Amino acid sequence: MRIIARRSLREFWERHPDAEQSLRAWYHDARKADWRSPAEVKRVYANASIVGENRVVFNIKGNKYRLVVAINYPYRTCYIRFVGSHAAYDRIDVAKV
């Protein structure tokens, strides 16, 4: 998969160093993935939540943080839409970020 805006991940882990290892691991796995559907994402990340508008919510660092990604399956592209604390996630509309 092609990941758009890795910089968002880096900027987040610079502010929250405890998230760095988990975000790097997700990035490494996602780059190697060839997800063709939400079901394929769920096979690898059983705890991921599939939400509207091709959004997938990943739990990061034992659910301390959340990562919201919009996936364009035909083009094999992931767009980082949000990365933040669980509390910050609760204040957003996942389908609109």
Side-chain angles (χ1 to χ4, degrees):
M1 301 295 288
R2 183 171 169 221
I3 314 296
I4 303 296
R6 179 176 185 251
R7 176 179 168 189
S8 300
L9 300 178
R10 184 177 34 82
E11 288 174 352
F12 186 81
W13 77 55
E14 286 173 354
R15 290 188 319 273
H16 303 276
D18 62 323
E20 182 174 2
Q21 182 179 0
S22 296
L23 289 171
R24 282 185 184 269
W26 177 87
Y27 180 82
H28 176 75
D29 291 347
R31 286 272 305 174
K32 290 185 173 184
D34 186 23
W35 297 320
R36 297 173 187 268
S37 69
E40 289 185 6
V41 175
K42 288 290 278 184
R43 250 180 270 153
V44 177
Y45 289 97
N47 291 330
S49 299
I50 308 299
V51 294
E53 302 297 320
N54 289 325
R55 301 290 201 276
V56 180
V57 180
F58 296 93
N59 298 320
I60 302 295
K61 182 89 172 119
N63 207 19
K64 183 175 181 181
Y65 302 110
R66 294 283 179 96
L67 172 64
V68 178
V69 177
I71 301 178
N72 184 320
Y73 295 101
Y75 289 98
R76 309 293 186 269
T77 304
C78 294
Y79 300 91
I80 306 298
R81 307 306 295 165
F82 171 85
V83 59
S85 68
H86 201 149
Y89 169 82
D90 289 340
R91 293 189 300 266
I92 65 167
D93 182 350
V94 177
K96 293 184 180 179
V97 295

